[in-house]
Amino acid sequence: MTIDTQQALFGFALRLGDTSLVLGHRLSEWCGHAPELEEDIALTNIALDLVGHARLWLSLAGEAEGQGRDEDRLAYRRDVFDYRNHLLVEQPNRDFGHTIVRQFLHDAWAVELYERLATSPDAGVAGIAAKALKEVRYHVQHSAEWVIRLGDGTAVSHAKTQEALDRLWPYTGEMFEADAASSALAAAGIAPALADLRATWAARVADTVAEATLTRPADGWMHKGGLRGEHSEHLGYLLAEMQFLPRAYPDAVW
Amino acid sequence: MAQAEQAGRADAGCWGPEPGADPLVLTAWTALAGVMDPEIPVLSVVDLGIVRSVERLDDGAGDGRCDGRLAVTVTPTYSGCPATGVIVLEVETALARAGLDATVRVVIAPPWTTDWISDTGRAKLAEVGIVPPPAAGKRALTAPLEAIACPLCGSTDTAQISRFGSTACKALHRCNACLEPFDVFKCH
């Protein structure tokens, strides 16, 4: 299937926007519940940055689509089957270890991707990536430090973090999965081929996992489907909460 | 020129009117210097370096349309900064109060950096006990923290409590000498 650049830009921006939005929403669920005040503030700060990235990507998606849909319309008036986020980020928070491992696996990918997108010849893409890159670099420092602290912590924190890593690892393959949109942009030189991010991502993850005294799971079968709108059951509940107000009171303004 | 200095042009790295700028543009910069950041109200939007440019829309057109209209460009500090909407509203209000016909645009590229905080802004931060951001550059983002002096007692025996503080732009530190916690403006 071949698609034109505008369609590809729409699909790719939707993927990045949805992934940022869903992860941002997941982190916001910790507000008032994190294990300590500083971490409560940290997770919600990161959530805020991610929702900011989602707004930028979804606005760009709306412009590329050219159907008059803005960021709010895309965020609040699409159902599960139209969401294009990675399955990793919709996984529930479970315990703090799961939240941190999920964050680290995503952050390490986001840094690799945004570093490359920041030099994209497409000014819209490059602008968002350069802005987001400064923030995700800070996020990955934070999440990596916590992976190390938890992994190389007590027997309990080590076991829980290893369990999280084992459970979430099969969701990492999707971050490097090409679809029609990402392939078209890679062919046009606007975005990197996602598979090319894998080696540096894996090296970064391996360093942190080793320092955390954790065992890197083997690459085996990987979950897929998010890019086609085939999501886990968890996303529907998340969207039901996130979209309630604009669906119950359409066109309400703040 | 007094107005230009007031708007902070003298500070290296930050944004302000060019020397000898148009009187309307200077009026706008002066008005903007009175708009305070809602989360750090000692800093004006000019001190913070988020006003990127003020331009006359009628430059060179010569057809009488857009006479005296200005385009003001601002940039957010962080992508998700909740204050951005309020800042735009306050900038529009201040420009209207100054009798100016201005359109405010928000742009994200090039991304804001703490290097654009003016020297005046840095001094104001220090005055209220917020440690100004270290000089940026790529290295500072990832390098270990240099010894940060406590804004209360001056001791450099300090430690970071949390990378994330009360606003997106600040981290929380503690002084091991006087035991007081304090905010540090993050290098960005």
Side-chain angles (χ1 to χ4, degrees):
Chain A
M1 177 183 164
T2 55
I3 55 175
D4 73 30
T5 305
Q6 285 307 300
Q7 283 176 298
L9 205 49
F10 170 68
F12 191 63
L14 209 55
R15 175 180 184 168
L16 298 183
D18 288 350
T19 297
S20 302
L21 183 61
V22 170
L23 185 56
H25 189 88
R26 274 285 179 245
L27 290 180
S28 78
E29 292 169 1
W30 277 105
C31 188
H33 300 281
E36 54 182 24
L37 180 61
E38 287 79 6
E39 205 43 37
D40 203 300
I41 293 168
L43 293 176
T44 44
N45 259 273
I46 296 168
L48 207 54
D49 287 341
L50 289 169
V51 173
H53 304 165
R55 293 185 59 181
L56 296 170
W57 285 122
L58 292 181
S59 295
L60 185 77
E63 284 165 28
E65 186 193 33
Q67 303 284 322
R69 292 202 280 183
D70 63 7
E71 52 183 283
D72 285 344
R73 178 97 197 178
L74 287 169
Y76 296 130
R77 306 279 184 92
R78 280 181 304 140
D79 211 340
V80 173
F81 306 111
D82 298 319
Y83 262 72
R84 293 292 177 268
N85 59 281
H86 299 150
L87 298 172
L88 172 71
V89 298
E90 71 196 45
Q91 297 310 305
N93 288 336
R94 296 182 190 273
D95 57 21
F96 183 64
H98 272 84
T99 297
I100 286 298
V101 170
R102 182 186 64 200
Q103 193 64 33
F104 172 65
L105 294 172
H106 169 83
D107 288 345
W109 172 82
V111 169
E112 296 297 334
L113 177 65
Y114 287 153
E115 274 179 357
R116 288 159 179 84
L117 288 182
T119 57
S120 170
D122 184 290
V125 170
I128 297 172
K131 183 81 193 156
L133 178 58
K134 299 179 82 155
E135 292 158 11
V136 298
R137 276 197 180 128
Y138 203 73
H139 300 169
V140 77
Q141 281 181 281
H142 182 75
S143 56
E145 279 175 10
W146 266 111
V147 168
I148 294 163
R149 198 173 293 138
L150 294 173
D152 192 18
T154 65
V156 172
S157 73
H158 177 90
K160 286 189 165 187
T161 313
Q162 184 66 55
E163 188 206 320
L165 193 59
D166 293 342
R167 183 193 291 269
L168 294 171
W169 195 262
Y171 291 98
T172 57
E174 201 181 30
M175 298 192 289
F176 308 98
E177 185 187 333
D179 60 359
S182 68
S183 301
L185 291 188
I190 291 171
L194 292 175
D196 292 349
L197 308 180
R198 188 160 207 149
T200 40
W201 173 86
R204 180 193 287 269
V205 168
D207 284 351
T208 300
V209 163
E211 195 175 343
T213 71
L214 296 165
T215 307
R216 179 194 184 283
D219 285 325
W221 178 81
M222 293 280 175
H223 291 278
K224 281 185 179 181
L227 304 179
R228 297 188 301 274
E230 292 163 12
H231 291 277
S232 61
E233 66 179 300
H234 310 296
L235 184 62
Y237 291 98
L238 183 151
L239 293 185
E241 184 177 302
M242 189 181 83
Q243 297 180 335
F244 165 75
L245 195 138
R247 287 199 187 272
Y249 304 95
D251 305 320
V253 287
W254 189 248
Chain B
M1 268 311 93
Q3 279 174 312
E5 278 160 27
Q6 200 178 332
R9 182 69 191 178
D11 293 337
C14 77
W15 306 73
E18 297 293 339
D22 179 273
L24 272 185
V25 170
L26 287 176
T27 306
W29 279 103
T30 306
L32 292 166
V35 178
M36 297 297 145
D37 177 82
E39 288 189 333
I40 308 173
V42 295
L43 291 187
S44 77
V45 291
V46 177
D47 292 329
L48 195 53
I50 62 172
V51 179
R52 191 154 288 170
S53 67
V54 178
E55 288 164 337
R56 282 189 73 136
L57 282 174
D58 53 359
D59 269 1
D63 58 1
R65 295 193 306 165
C66 299
D67 268 358
R69 289 193 59 197
L70 299 173
V72 174
T73 306
V74 298
T75 192
T77 52
Y78 282 73
S79 304
C81 179
T84 308
V86 176
I87 289 172
V88 170
L89 194 66
E90 290 186 351
V91 162
E92 286 170 346
T93 308
L95 293 168
R97 282 211 182 112
L100 299 166
D101 181 7
T103 312
V104 180
R105 287 190 313 147
V106 178
V107 297
I108 57 162
W112 176 81
T113 160
T114 41
D115 282 355
W116 294 349
I117 298 177
S118 68
D119 292 344
T120 317
R122 283 166 196 275
K124 287 180 185 172
L125 282 173
E127 258 173 53
V128 297
I130 300 171
V131 176
K138 228 174 181 177
R139 212 161 52 88
L141 281 173
T142 46
L145 288 166
E146 291 168 35
I148 287 174
C150 169
L152 297 156
C153 75
S155 167
T156 51
D157 181 15
T158 63
Q160 187 178 64
I161 297 175
S162 175
R163 287 177 166 279
F164 295 88
S166 53
T167 64
C169 53
K170 288 178 290 183
L172 193 59
H173 288 236
R174 170 183 54 214
C175 177
N176 294 326
C178 73
L179 303 180
E180 285 291 330
F182 60 91
D183 275 331
V184 175
F185 210 105
K186 296 191 303 208
C187 174
H188 190 72

